[in-house]
Amino acid sequence: MTYTILLLLFIGIELIYFRIADYYNIIDKPNSRSSHTAITLRGGGIIFPIAILVACLLGYTSWIVVTAVVLVAVVSFIDDIKPLSTLPRFISHIIAIGLVFYELNLFSQAVWLLPLIFILFLGWVNVFNFMDGINGITVLYSFVAIASFSFLEVSKDSLPLLITVGLSCCAFGFFNVRKKAKTFAGDVGSISMALFLAYFMIKTIMLSGQIGYLFFLSVYGIDGIITIFTRIKKKENILEPHRSHLYQYLANELGYSHITVSLLYAGIQLLINGLVIYLDRIGELTVPVIVLFLVFQVMVYLLVRKNVVEKVNLKSMTC
């Protein structure tokens, strides 16, 4: 009953936000780099930090986690309305990551480990934000990750938190997972969700001692990292908007529907997560298996990307 009320509450908040966004003209106008063609309300992902705040009020998580998420959400929402320079966004990310480190007692870990975790954390937040480019991809991918965490024994105490955030995905998805989306997540949604998933990933690894759970986010991670290296190789500015992620080639250049591509990404990640959970439960998620699995994923991704890019180039030549 409580969760039904929460779902209805989140849908109601979204509807209220739409009226506010429409009144104050908080919209996303398509440009040459966009994957959409119609003006759409921006910032519907504000429901994600609101859900985490509600979870805190219900006693499901700490104020430290909420402060970290709300901090990046507020700065990102301002950026959605009026673009900010890199500095305030970067500072908010540093402070938020520091709060997560404090919450998880990471400052007691080996000194050499902290910069590595920080770089990976910061990189993940930005990669997740870059991947938010077509209808449904962010919310479906996030829901798969949250659902996967929910199946772990070490997540038993955090199940109410995961369900609450998952319900916010359902509420947002109702308006976003469609051919013509009512709203986009905006930076407020993608960055706050990225921070939450990174927090929960680190917490899960610390509780379980199993680094293999990083595969729960591997589809985004591999696509993001390889795309960044590809752009660096081409001497492009990796901080500028672009259309060179694999999902962008599929949706923009080859014409697959947004929902099809989003379901593909979420579905592949779900299969990977299911396999990871199974391997861990039978005690086979060892370091050699993790390395081989990673190499296999990278090779498959590179092969698919090469094939897709060739099709895109051939299509551009024939047009």
Side-chain angles (χ1 to χ4, degrees):
M1 184 64 179
T2 300
Y3 294 133
T4 302
I5 294 173
L6 282 177
L7 177 59
L8 294 175
L9 172 66
F10 293 151
I11 292 175
I13 291 173
E14 284 282 47
L15 292 173
I16 292 171
Y17 172 74
F18 293 161
R19 295 180 67 88
I20 296 172
D22 187 53
Y23 182 81
Y24 287 101
N25 204 35
I26 305 174
I27 57 176
D28 193 304
K29 295 181 179 179
N31 54 48
S32 60
R33 305 257 183 199
S34 302
S35 297
H36 59 284
T37 57
I39 294 176
T40 309
L41 295 177
R42 174 186 288 186
I46 197 171
I47 197 65
F48 302 150
I50 288 175
I52 296 170
L53 175 59
V54 170
C56 179
L57 294 174
L58 293 173
Y60 300 158
T61 190
S62 74
W63 277 104
I64 297 175
V65 173
V66 171
T67 302
V69 172
V70 170
L71 172 62
V72 296
V74 168
V75 174
S76 298
F77 187 62
I78 294 172
D79 189 45
D80 281 332
I81 298 173
K82 184 176 181 181
L84 298 172
S85 65
T86 302
L87 186 60
R89 289 183 283 126
F90 182 65
I91 290 175
S92 69
H93 293 176
I94 291 177
I95 295 173
I97 293 173
L99 288 170
V100 171
F101 275 31
Y102 179 78
E103 168 69 11
L104 296 175
N105 199 29
L106 283 173
F107 290 114
S108 64
Q109 301 295 317
V111 175
W112 65 268
L113 194 59
L114 296 181
L116 176 61
I117 298 175
F118 175 82
I119 292 171
L120 290 174
F121 200 135
L122 187 63
W124 164 252
V125 170
N126 284 279
V127 163
F128 194 90
N129 188 35
F130 291 155
M131 294 294 291
D132 180 33
I134 59 176
N135 299 351
I137 194 166
T138 290
V139 67
L140 290 175
Y141 192 86
S142 300
F143 188 81
V144 164
I146 291 167
S148 299
F149 283 126
S150 300
F151 276 93
L152 302 180
E153 186 67 26
V154 294
S155 300
K156 185 181 296 184
D157 293 339
S158 299
L159 200 55
L161 169 62
L162 291 170
I163 292 175
T164 302
V165 180
L167 289 173
S168 72
C169 289
C170 294
F172 173 75
F174 179 75
F175 300 104
N176 178 255
V177 184
R178 51 176 74 181
K179 184 176 181 179
K180 187 176 180 181
K182 172 72 175 178
T183 184
F184 295 144
D187 286 358
V188 62
S190 61
I191 290 179
S192 58
M193 179 59 77
L195 186 81
F196 174 75
L197 292 178
Y199 152 73
F200 211 87
M201 173 61 73
I202 296 172
K203 179 179 179 179
T204 299
I205 292 173
M206 292 181 68
L207 289 174
S208 65
Q210 178 54 267
I211 197 171
Y213 288 130
L214 282 172
F215 283 119
F216 276 14
L217 306 175
S218 62
V219 172
Y220 262 27
I222 291 172
D223 192 346
I225 292 172
I226 292 178
T227 300
I228 288 173
F229 278 113
T230 301
R231 298 192 70 208
I232 291 174
K233 185 179 178 181
K234 293 180 179 179
K235 298 182 179 179
E236 298 176 358
N237 185 345
I238 62 173
L239 298 179
E240 290 183 351
H242 61 95
R243 287 164 58 123
S244 51
H245 282 292
L246 178 58
Y247 80 86
Q248 291 171 317
Y249 283 131
L250 292 170
N252 301 330
E253 312 303 334
L254 297 185
Y256 291 99
S257 75
H258 287 200
I259 304 306
T260 298
V261 177
S262 297
L263 286 171
L264 179 65
Y265 267 68
I268 291 173
Q269 188 64 74
L270 181 61
L271 290 175
I272 291 170
N273 294 0
L275 179 59
V276 168
I277 292 173
Y278 172 74
L279 289 174
D280 187 41
R281 286 183 177 176
I282 64 174
E284 294 297 328
L285 195 59
T286 59
V287 173
V289 171
I290 290 172
V291 172
L292 287 174
F293 195 27
L294 177 61
V295 171
F296 174 75
Q297 281 193 57
V298 171
M299 290 178 65
V300 169
Y301 173 84
L302 289 173
L303 183 62
V304 172
R305 183 184 177 92
K306 180 176 181 294
N307 183 262
V308 169
V309 171
E310 287 177 351
K311 287 184 178 181
V312 169
N313 291 336
L314 181 62
K315 183 180 179 180
S316 63
M317 289 173 62
T318 55
C319 290

